[in-house]
Amino acid sequence: MILIDGKKIAAELKAEVKVRAEAFYQKHGIKPSLAVVLIGNDPASQVYVRNKIKSCEETGIKSCSHFLPETATQEEAVSLVRSLAADDTVHGILVQLPLPKHLNEAEILREIPHEKDVDGFSEFNIGRLSMQKEGIVACTPYGVMELLKRYNIPIAGKRAVVVGRSNIVGKPMSMLLLNANATVTVCHSKTQNLKEETSRADILVAAIGKPKFITGDMVKEGAVVIDVGINRGEDGKLCGDVDFEAVKDKVSYITPVPGGVGPMTVASLMVNTCMCAERNTK
Ligand code: NDP
């Protein structure tokens, strides 16, 4: 079994971004820049935002954070994102999700122009992905593809099973695997006989949000297992959607949690920000 080292690959990716960001600065006299919007007090979101800002510092990307209180109104949130959209010095805009419940998420995200949509969540960028055209790809699935690529794991012709169909992970993940010529099955909570589906996977991606949900008997001998899940187990420790201990001796490759897909998501955000700056600066 080979343990896929997400930390190491994320560091490689960030080192590449640093070179690109420096070249951008030399050419344009400004750094690529990312505006991060955080609304409310969600503790996990605060940690994610801190990590993103730290990664910007490491890669030579300028970050500016915009905090609104839990009580922010829809109008305040929309007007903040609209002002960032109109600001030529901002190359990428990220609105940290989830938003407080009283806010209309779709309406706020719609204010992000597709060329600044560093999360790749807009209908435009999702449409481009599904049509196999150049666009901005959601960070987590992009990061997974980079892991597969950099570990020279073949995809074309393989049977890939993605468990989860969210707009931010499962769906774009399945699209990317399809674009890379895998034969893709997407499973979800209404899938009948999930084990039968997952046991056929050469490449199994778990993006479910349930601790240790994928057990040893659900995985094929020699499969590549990518665990996107980030959960707190009963012992209070971070764990994935895959029961790592039960699966590890059966598989050819596996990502750990933490240290697998997680660091790649942040590194991919840096790639997307740099790309937005390069594409949209004359
Ligand atoms: P969502 O809750 O949006 O989606 C979960 C998906 O899992 C849904 O499609 C759901 O099906 C499916 N599902 C739920 N229960 C079952 C079941 N019993 N059998 C089969 N499928 C099931 O989550 P996200 O996609 O946003 O995130 C998934 C996980 O990945 C979470 O743990 C999250 O924390 C983590 N994550 C990690 C990131 C990283 O950087 N590593 C980034 C983003 C997320 P249905 O559609 O039918 O409801």
Side-chain angles (χ1 to χ4, degrees):
M1 178 272 284
I2 294 175
L3 194 64
I4 296 180
D5 189 344
K7 267 196 202 158
K8 179 173 141 248
I9 305 293
E12 276 177 32
L13 218 56
K14 286 201 266 187
E16 291 164 18
V17 170
K18 194 171 178 186
V19 172
R20 280 168 67 179
E22 175 59 26
F24 182 87
Y25 180 72
Q26 292 303 331
K27 189 168 171 194
H28 301 287
I30 51 166
K31 292 179 175 182
S33 79
L34 174 67
V36 182
V37 175
L38 176 61
I39 308 176
N41 313 315
D42 181 55
S45 292
Q46 287 171 350
V47 174
Y48 291 139
V49 164
R50 258 204 309 276
N51 283 340
K52 288 168 188 178
I53 291 169
K54 188 166 151 259
S55 281
C56 285
E57 284 161 11
E58 287 166 12
T59 50
I61 288 173
K62 182 184 163 206
S63 67
C64 46
S65 319
H66 301 266
F67 300 113
L68 290 180
E70 189 77 32
T71 52
T73 63
Q74 182 72 14
E75 290 68 33
E76 284 167 332
V78 164
S79 126
L80 170 59
V81 178
R82 202 172 276 168
S83 70
L84 296 169
D87 184 342
D88 287 341
T89 66
V90 169
H91 300 117
I93 303 171
L94 178 149
V95 175
Q96 185 65 44
L97 301 179
L99 295 176
K101 290 217 165 22
H102 66 280
L103 296 176
N104 180 337
E105 181 181 300
E107 196 183 281
I108 293 166
L109 294 183
R110 249 200 313 275
E111 293 295 329
I112 303 176
H114 61 77
E115 67 277 10
K116 296 188 182 188
D117 169 32
V118 283
D119 261 333
F121 292 169
S122 64
E123 289 168 15
F124 178 89
N125 281 312
I126 292 169
R128 302 278 297 178
L129 174 63
S130 71
M131 296 177 81
Q132 236 177 324
K133 291 186 172 164
E134 198 180 68
I136 304 165
V137 177
C139 298
T140 302
Y142 177 88
V144 170
M145 294 306 281
E146 284 297 310
L147 288 178
L148 295 172
K149 191 165 101 190
R150 290 170 192 243
Y151 273 83
N152 295 315
I153 294 169
I155 303 172
K158 299 294 177 190
R159 197 181 284 274
V161 176
V162 179
V163 189
R165 57 172 165 181
S166 69
N167 289 335
I168 63 173
V169 187
K171 258 186 229 158
M173 187 71 251
S174 57
M175 213 74 85
L176 284 165
L177 289 164
L178 183 63
N179 290 350
N181 295 319
T183 301
V184 182
T185 302
V186 186
C187 300
H188 45 78
S189 67
K190 309 290 184 296
T191 298
Q192 291 187 8
N193 212 340
L194 183 65
K195 182 177 149 191
E196 204 173 281
E197 303 294 343
T198 57
S199 305
R200 278 203 289 260
D202 301 311
I203 301 171
L204 177 62
V205 181
I208 309 159
K210 298 213 156 121
K212 304 184 186 177
F213 183 80
I214 302 289
T215 46
D217 57 338
M218 294 171 81
V219 175
K220 183 169 118 175
E221 200 78 41
V224 175
V225 175
I226 305 290
D227 191 352
V228 178
I230 302 179
N231 313 291
R232 284 265 164 224
E234 280 167 11
D235 54 4
K237 288 191 186 149
L238 275 191
C239 70
D241 289 344
V242 176
D243 186 346
F244 185 89
E245 286 306 317
V247 162
K248 71 177 196 313
D249 295 327
K250 272 184 107 172
V251 299
S252 55
Y253 293 86
I254 187 165
T255 60
V257 178
V261 175
M264 292 301 291
T265 298
V266 185
S268 303
L269 175 67
M270 301 301 112
V271 173
N272 282 351
T273 303
C274 208
M275 197 175 64
C276 287
E278 289 163 351
R279 282 189 190 161
N280 300 304
T281 310
K282 308 246 165 15

